[in-house]
Amino acid sequence: MAFENNDKAKGYWNENLRLVLGLLAIWAAVSFGCGILLVDVLNEIHFMGFKLGFWFAQQGSMYVFVALIFVYAAKANALDKKYNVQED
Amino acid sequence: MGVQGLTYLIVGLSFALYIGIAIWSRAGSTKEFYVAGGGVHPVVNGMATAADWMSAASFISLAGIVSFVGYDGSVYLMGWTGGYVLLALCMAPYLRKFGKFTVPDFVGERYYSQAARTVAVICAIFICFTYIAGQMRGVGVVFSRFLEVDVDTGVYIGMAVVFFYAVLGGMKGITYTQVAQYCVLIFAFMVPAIFLSVMMTGHIIPQIGFGAQLLDAAGNNSGVYLLEKLNNLSVDLGFAPYTDGSKSMIDVFCITGALMVGTAGLPHVIVRFFTVPKVKDARVSAGWALVFIAIMYTTVPALAAFSRVNMIETINGPDQKGVAYETAPDWIKNWEKTGLIKWDDKNGDGKIYYAKGKMEDAASPNEMKIDNDIIVLATPEIANLPAWVIALVAAGGLAAALSTSAGLLLVISTSVSHDLLKKNLMPNISDKKELMYARLAAGIGIVIAGYFGVNPPGFVAAVVAFAFGLAASSLFPAIIMGIFSKTMNKEGAIAGMVIGLLFTASYIIYFKFVDPTANLAANWFLGISPEGIGMVGMVVNFAVAAIVCKVTAAAPAHVQEMVESIRFPKGAGEASSH
């Protein structure tokens, strides 16, 4: 058993799930939300020469995707350290 | 030196580089053949994954498709990048900790069932074959246009090169060759885009030029935004505004979802994350892959918009009434010879004219037929770029096609030798024999792919929709439930995969092959096209699995312990085959 006790194991997994779900919420918000469902509303707003909804669909969502993965990697590695389950 | 000579030179140099790398990094053991000895740095692995991912189709066709459909093209841009977020957050680190080579390995062990493994092997092989069929054709088309050989000869040359480095090199050879191919293809893609951006908007970064004002003839800001101009042009010619598109919202939603989930379920992408040394690296490796992919995918819509404006203005002229055929630029005549551009002077005024509608339709004023595929290939000619840029684009297209074919062949050979033979049919096979069978399977794979390259099935696009739909509705849910549910059992997983697969496959087969004339929005389930139905198939898979799991016994204790142990990184060894 890598964890000191069962509570720690549960705590680690719950924190991990919270992290993943939080980031996936942003993932869905920028692509399915801003890029598709809200596209008509956001297109009323202009941003750097783009209609905002269109910008999210063809540019913004992809930048956010990249950022999400690096944020996840950093936070998940920190979580491993906190519970002392990182690789040797 | 002319275009022809430069093309030979640049393509020849790039090939010499790939083959040199393949020889230098020849695989010696099954493990090196499959996963590069687990010793690949995350940035290197990310770059190779990006090259593996960006196929001839995305290099040659994607910008063209976006250029013709505007906002609707976003489904591909978001779909083919968003899947990496799912991969990185929900799959890569756990599969790396699990520590086996292949997707069927995971499905087979997690669901303690040979049947589950077999279903996964069949899905994996089928998905890879549908993909590779289009790749060899892509190689043939590029060779035939730029080397002036016929398409079949182009396919044979491509087969020989792919065979050489995929079969001899294995994963290790492929990884380093793909890094070189990424560099060639991204350079080849960016150069014309940057040239166009500078010429049209004065911005060196295409992603910024995309939203900027156009320059007038004197090189000053004209006060008109590129996208505004494009919307006006589109509406004047009878199209929907470029930034609005014409697909229904639910269809855009489902296609994007199916492509995202399908991406995360593609075996040749997932297997990449077994090749990094540590769980930590698996997490960040997907991030690097997406960085390298996004460099191209954020440039694609910019290039699409530049080319669209350029193309319409060149064909319809400054007065938007058409240009006399005699004075039309050479690229139109050059591409007419290949059959990818056609002109029919319907009103007999001797001028070329482009508008909405089919050229063949007498009621439409449109006199031009322009193939999606020429946008990227012809851009350097349209924009009068130097000859070396044209040669470079040829080398880039080939790099994209070859890197993807090699990655796919490797998964096919692994699936056959490792998952089918070693784990199913002949468990006592030696390492050396296994490697031999792996190479044999890759060889046979190339021959079959070559056959489809020479005799292309007339439905490549339909087949690609198929591959993503299947991956989304079969492998993805099985893997996700295998990680995030400890109790999910083999009955649930197999029922989910089979029913999800059957549902998706029958919907696509019905509308694409059985009754293509009925393939209209009015007949679709909830208005969802066959391209997007994988999203529904995925939901069906999850639902069926959950219900079946409820009424059957939970997964045995040793499997639940295994799931527990893949959820944290500590103790991850090197990937192993036993």
Side-chain angles (χ1 to χ4, degrees):
Chain A
M1 193 69 195
F3 293 97
E4 286 160 36
N5 56 47
N6 260 336
D7 285 349
K8 287 246 164 161
K10 276 209 184 94
Y12 172 81
W13 186 241
N14 286 341
E15 276 197 54
N16 182 52
L17 284 182
R18 256 204 305 280
L19 170 64
V20 169
L21 288 176
L23 294 174
L24 285 182
I26 300 175
W27 167 78
V30 292
S31 53
F32 293 109
C34 301
I36 299 175
L37 298 176
L38 301 174
V39 72
D40 295 331
V41 184
L42 292 177
N43 274 347
E44 300 297 318
I45 303 166
H46 287 261
F47 170 75
M48 286 168 46
F50 294 94
K51 290 177 175 176
L52 188 58
F54 179 81
W55 182 80
F56 265 109
Q58 300 211 334
Q59 296 279 304
S61 56
M62 289 185 273
Y63 300 133
V64 176
F65 293 159
V66 171
L68 285 176
I69 299 183
F70 284 102
V71 169
Y72 165 73
K75 291 211 163 182
N77 292 341
L79 189 63
D80 292 345
K81 285 224 176 72
K82 179 176 162 192
Y83 284 87
N84 199 25
V85 287
Q86 75 276 31
E87 288 150 299
D88 317 307
Chain B
M1 201 185 289
V3 173
Q4 192 73 18
L6 277 168
T7 306
Y8 274 112
L9 183 71
I10 293 183
V11 171
L13 282 177
S14 65
F15 273 35
L17 178 67
Y18 310 151
I19 292 171
I21 293 172
I23 293 172
W24 166 70
S25 58
R26 251 185 68 137
S29 68
T30 43
K31 200 171 155 196
E32 282 191 340
F33 191 87
Y34 296 140
V35 296
V40 180
H41 189 274
V43 179
V44 174
N45 191 51
M47 207 180 262
T49 308
D52 202 334
W53 179 235
M54 293 190 288
S55 59
S58 54
F59 187 91
I60 298 171
S61 313
L62 186 56
I65 294 172
V66 175
S67 185
F68 282 93
V69 299
Y71 169 78
D72 289 344
S74 317
V75 298
Y76 303 108
L77 300 170
M78 288 189 286
W80 286 337
T81 52
Y84 279 84
V85 178
L86 289 174
L87 256 174
L89 272 56
C90 306
M91 298 163 81
Y94 311 109
L95 292 175
R96 174 62 194 84
K97 172 73 192 285
F98 174 69
K100 296 291 161 64
F101 290 146
T102 66
V103 173
D105 263 342
F106 176 77
V107 173
E109 289 208 18
R110 168 61 184 83
Y111 296 115
Y112 47 99
S113 152
Q114 207 61 253
R117 178 193 293 276
T118 311
V119 173
V121 173
I122 293 169
C123 292
I125 293 180
F126 186 81
I127 292 166
C128 292
F129 265 118
T130 53
Y131 239 84
I132 204 165
Q135 295 300 316
M136 293 317 264
R137 187 72 190 169
V139 178
V141 169
V142 178
F143 271 125
S144 73
R145 170 67 183 89
F146 291 100
L147 302 182
E148 291 181 4
V149 294
D150 62 50
V151 176
D152 294 357
T153 314
V155 172
Y156 297 134
I157 299 173
M159 283 166 68
V161 175
V162 173
F163 182 83
F164 199 76
Y165 69 74
V167 174
L168 296 183
M171 195 65 166
K172 195 170 171 204
I174 286 181
T175 302
Y176 290 111
T177 315
Q178 283 177 333
V179 169
Q181 284 163 337
Y182 177 80
C183 298
V184 172
L185 83 85
I186 199 69
F187 187 64
F189 196 82
M190 296 305 289
V191 166
I194 291 170
F195 264 109
L196 274 178
S197 183
V198 171
M199 281 166 43
M200 294 176 70
T201 67
H203 287 280
I204 206 163
I205 299 170
Q207 286 85 342
I208 294 179
F210 189 21
Q213 294 179 0
L214 290 163
L215 297 179
D216 58 22
N220 301 315
N221 273 352
S222 62
V224 181
Y225 286 97
L226 171 71
L227 287 167
E228 210 181 314
K229 167 114 184 177
L230 197 46
N231 276 346
N232 292 341
L233 280 175
S234 302
V235 173
D236 288 348
L237 298 176
F239 297 96
Y242 189 80
T243 54
D244 289 355
S246 47
K247 278 190 163 72
S248 73
M249 189 179 278
I250 184 164
D251 203 24
V252 170
F253 189 94
C254 285
I255 298 176
T256 306
L259 294 178
M260 281 180 177
V261 173
T263 301
L266 286 179
H268 72 286
V269 176
I270 300 173
V271 76
R272 280 287 167 191
F273 300 97
F274 297 104
T275 63
V276 289
K278 291 185 163 187
V279 174
K280 208 167 86 180
D281 301 331
R283 289 178 182 141
V284 82
S285 201
W288 285 111
L290 192 55
V291 167
F292 294 120
I293 293 168
I295 292 174
M296 178 162 149
Y297 272 51
T298 53
T299 309
V300 162
L303 181 64
F306 297 143
S307 317
R308 181 89 177 152
V309 170
N310 225 321
M311 190 196 83
I312 293 177
E313 293 205 316
T314 313
I315 294 177
N316 289 0
D319 60 353
Q320 295 298 311
K321 298 242 161 55
V323 165
Y325 182 74
E326 289 75 38
T327 62
D330 286 340
W331 63 268
I332 292 183
K333 291 154 195 165
N334 286 340
W335 285 92
E336 244 185 318
K337 285 182 215 147
T338 65
L340 296 173
I341 287 185
K342 287 188 182 128
W343 174 55
D344 176 11
D345 193 10
K346 289 195 292 199
N347 59 7
D349 64 356
K351 288 178 176 177
I352 52 176
Y353 184 71
Y354 176 71
K356 186 187 163 83
K358 284 206 162 76
M359 183 185 79
E360 294 84 359
D361 180 2
S364 157
N366 182 23
E367 301 180 337
M368 306 296 291
K369 189 170 184 172
I370 299 161
D371 195 282
N372 285 340
D373 287 353
I374 71 158
I375 294 295
V376 167
L377 295 178
T379 293
E381 294 168 77
I382 298 178
N384 272 323
L385 301 183
W388 63 268
V389 178
I390 301 175
L392 192 62
V393 170
L398 287 171
L402 294 175
S403 59
T404 307
S405 316
L408 288 164
L409 278 171
L410 200 79
V411 174
I412 292 174
S413 64
T414 313
S415 300
V416 171
S417 69
H418 181 78
D419 297 322
L420 212 60
L421 296 180
K422 183 158 183 122
K423 296 286 173 139
N424 261 332
L425 303 175
M426 19 175 48
N428 298 322
I429 190 172
S430 72
D431 241 32
K432 219 172 159 186
K433 269 262 175 65
E434 193 186 334
L435 194 57
M436 193 197 81
Y437 278 114
R439 289 185 166 140
L440 189 69
I444 296 171
I446 290 170
V447 173
I448 297 176
Y451 173 82
F452 284 117
V454 176
N455 306 292
F459 43 82
V460 172
V463 169
V464 170
F466 215 79
F468 278 92
L470 294 186
S473 61
S474 61
L475 295 178
F476 177 79
I479 296 171
I480 289 293
M481 290 184 294
I483 296 165
F484 290 90
S485 160
K486 277 197 283 187
T487 50
M488 178 49 66
N489 57 16
K490 66 174 175 191
E491 290 85 356
I494 295 173
M497 278 198 283
V498 170
I499 294 176
L501 198 68
L502 284 179
F503 170 81
T504 308
S506 41
Y507 192 86
I508 297 176
I509 290 172
Y510 178 77
F511 281 117
K512 291 286 187 183
F513 304 111
V514 178
D515 191 4
T517 52
N519 192 11
L520 303 165
N523 297 328
W524 293 339
F525 173 68
L526 297 176
I528 298 166
S529 63
E531 284 76 18
I533 201 67
M535 183 80 168
V536 183
M538 175 198 78
V539 175
V540 169
N541 182 332
F542 276 121
V544 167
I547 294 166
V548 172
C549 181
K550 269 259 182 285
V551 300
T552 46
H558 74 274
V559 171
Q560 299 205 21
E561 270 164 37
M562 191 266 278
V563 177
E564 194 105 300
S565 77
I566 63 170
R567 288 179 171 182
F568 56 86
K570 192 170 192 149
E574 285 198 13
S576 70
S577 62
H578 305 289

